[in-house]
Amino acid sequence: MSRVVNGSPKVSEKTKQKVLAVMREMEYTPNVFARGLGLDSMKTVGIMCPDISDDYMARAVSGLEKRLHKYGYDCILGCSGYEQEEKESYTRLLLSKRIDTLVMVGSTYAGSGKNPEQTDYIREAAEKTPVFLINGYVEGKNIYCTCADDFQAAYEVTSSLIKRGKKRILFLYNSNSFSARQKMAGYEAALSDAGYPISGELKFYTKNEIHYVRDILLEYRNLKFDGVVATDDGLAIGVLKYAKVKGISIPDELSVTGYNDSDFAVCCEPELTSVDSKLGTLCKITIDNMLALLEQKEVIEQKTYVPCEIIKRCTTDF
């Protein structure tokens, strides 16, 4: 029976059909765990994200799970939070579940860029199972990364604002993750190429809470800006609420761009220009690469970049 359940080629078709008929008659259900031990595969993927309540993370997990189920894989989800110790602990926990691969969603797993040792736990995990990162890059054997081209997207958005005559462009961000650093680098490169100074005053770090952003900008009365490049739609909507309180015309006096093209971008008024970071494409490439690796179909790239798209709406005039 075990050879039939495990799809052994040593069993003749006639014998296979007899065994399957008996299994149906007895309403026999194979033990998935035992079958996994025999095949050295549990057909199970570990998915880890910092916070499932985050819109970007929720959409990513949903997309990954649907595509994995299509190919007969189950998922185990772990929400690690953002602290280093928690990320390492959840990685060990998922590895203990005999997963076939580990998928890590979010650039926080790629560290802050200040200390390479922050990502040692990922390289250690990759010694046990393939590790796939979505929108983060960690160098190492058996680690495969799929990233949105955040540098180019931020460069294009900032350049577009400059071409529309904006002189003081605020860069609004809420983390020092790999993705945020790429966006900041693109913003700075666009300013530099246009001959604009890169001002520390115009790089503004804040919590990603809409009303908090509104209130903190209202407190900084001497902070003058006529354009905003925000690294998340929530941050950008906080700016729109600030502008409403101040009576600032959007986009004539102030142009605002968000990021990730979430539902927030069309729920607000005016509707928000936002960067589509192609999350669905990132998830599809990740699963396709995972299946190619597990089924040994082909050699896959360890680093893949996906172009973004600027979705133009009413908060900009470019």
Side-chain angles (χ1 to χ4, degrees):
M1 184 180 292
S2 64
R3 288 184 177 181
V4 172
V5 172
N6 292 330
S8 172
K10 297 180 180 180
V11 181
S12 69
E13 184 62 26
K14 183 178 180 180
T15 301
K16 177 182 176 182
Q17 293 306 319
K18 285 183 178 179
V19 172
L20 290 174
V22 172
M23 289 171 62
R24 285 193 293 270
E25 184 179 343
M26 299 176 62
E27 297 183 350
Y28 172 77
T29 302
N31 184 300
V32 176
F33 185 73
R35 184 173 184 269
L37 291 174
L39 295 175
D40 197 29
S41 171
M42 290 295 294
K43 296 283 282 186
T44 301
V45 174
I47 300 176
M48 196 160 84
C49 72
D51 181 4
I52 196 63
S53 69
D54 178 90
D55 177 74
Y56 181 91
M57 307 296 170
R59 287 190 290 141
V61 171
S62 176
L64 290 168
E65 185 177 31
K66 287 176 183 177
R67 194 159 185 83
L68 285 167
H69 284 173
K70 178 180 176 181
Y71 292 103
Y73 280 81
D74 291 321
C75 308
I76 299 175
L77 175 65
C79 298
S80 67
Y82 292 90
E83 297 300 322
Q84 183 71 21
E85 186 176 339
E86 291 179 323
K87 290 188 282 190
E88 294 180 11
S89 175
Y90 265 87
T91 300
R92 291 192 296 269
L93 177 63
L94 288 178
L95 290 175
S96 72
K97 305 297 183 181
R98 283 186 54 82
I99 56 175
D100 293 299
T101 63
L102 175 61
V103 179
M104 310 179 91
V105 181
S107 58
T108 183
Y109 295 114
S112 65
K114 297 178 181 179
N115 182 1
E117 292 180 0
Q118 288 179 330
T119 54
D120 281 348
Y121 74 101
I122 297 178
R123 280 179 281 273
E124 292 170 5
E127 294 176 3
K128 300 178 177 67
T129 191
V131 176
F132 292 82
L133 267 72
I134 292 180
N135 217 28
Y137 177 66
V138 172
E139 188 174 358
K141 186 178 180 181
N142 215 24
I143 300 174
Y144 305 91
C145 308
T146 308
C147 305
D149 194 347
D150 292 324
F151 175 93
Q152 187 61 33
Y155 182 95
E156 290 178 8
V157 165
T158 308
S159 296
S160 295
L161 292 173
I162 291 170
K163 289 175 183 176
R164 298 304 298 168
K166 302 305 179 183
K167 300 295 184 182
R168 289 180 59 81
I169 301 170
L170 184 70
F171 182 80
L172 202 60
Y173 66 113
N174 68 308
S175 80
N176 292 303
S177 66
F178 173 82
S179 176
R181 297 197 307 274
Q182 293 299 302
K183 294 168 188 173
M184 183 179 289
Y187 159 83
E188 291 178 343
L191 292 178
S192 180
D193 287 350
Y196 280 29
I198 298 172
S199 170
E201 178 189 37
L202 291 174
K203 291 189 285 189
F204 200 92
Y205 182 92
T206 179
K207 289 192 295 186
N208 189 8
E209 296 177 8
I210 293 172
H211 287 159
Y212 182 89
V213 173
R214 177 199 62 189
D215 294 344
I216 198 71
L217 289 177
L218 288 170
E219 287 183 17
Y220 280 77
R221 297 180 181 180
N222 294 325
L223 182 62
K224 306 298 181 184
F225 52 93
D226 54 10
V228 175
V229 174
T231 61
D232 186 89
D233 287 343
L235 296 170
I237 292 171
V239 177
L240 297 183
K241 289 190 174 293
Y242 156 83
K244 185 174 183 179
V245 172
K246 297 283 287 184
I248 298 171
S249 174
I250 302 289
D252 298 329
E253 296 177 88
L254 175 62
S255 291
V256 183
T257 65
Y259 216 96
N260 292 329
D261 195 33
S262 65
D263 288 343
F264 285 150
V266 293
C267 289
C268 63
E269 188 62 41
E271 293 188 2
L272 177 68
T273 293
S274 184
V275 174
D276 180 356
S277 54
K278 300 297 180 182
L279 180 58
T281 303
L282 297 182
C283 293
K284 180 182 182 300
I285 291 173
T286 297
I287 299 305
D288 289 350
N289 284 345
M290 184 202 81
L291 293 171
L293 183 69
L294 292 179
E295 296 174 10
Q296 300 179 337
K297 289 182 178 179
E298 57 187 271
V299 176
I300 63 174
E301 296 290 332
Q302 288 193 282
K303 187 178 184 181
T304 304
Y305 273 102
V306 174
C308 301
E309 180 184 1
I310 302 171
I311 308 299
K312 301 172 185 177
R313 296 193 181 93
C314 303
T315 58
T316 58
D317 59 356
F318 56 73

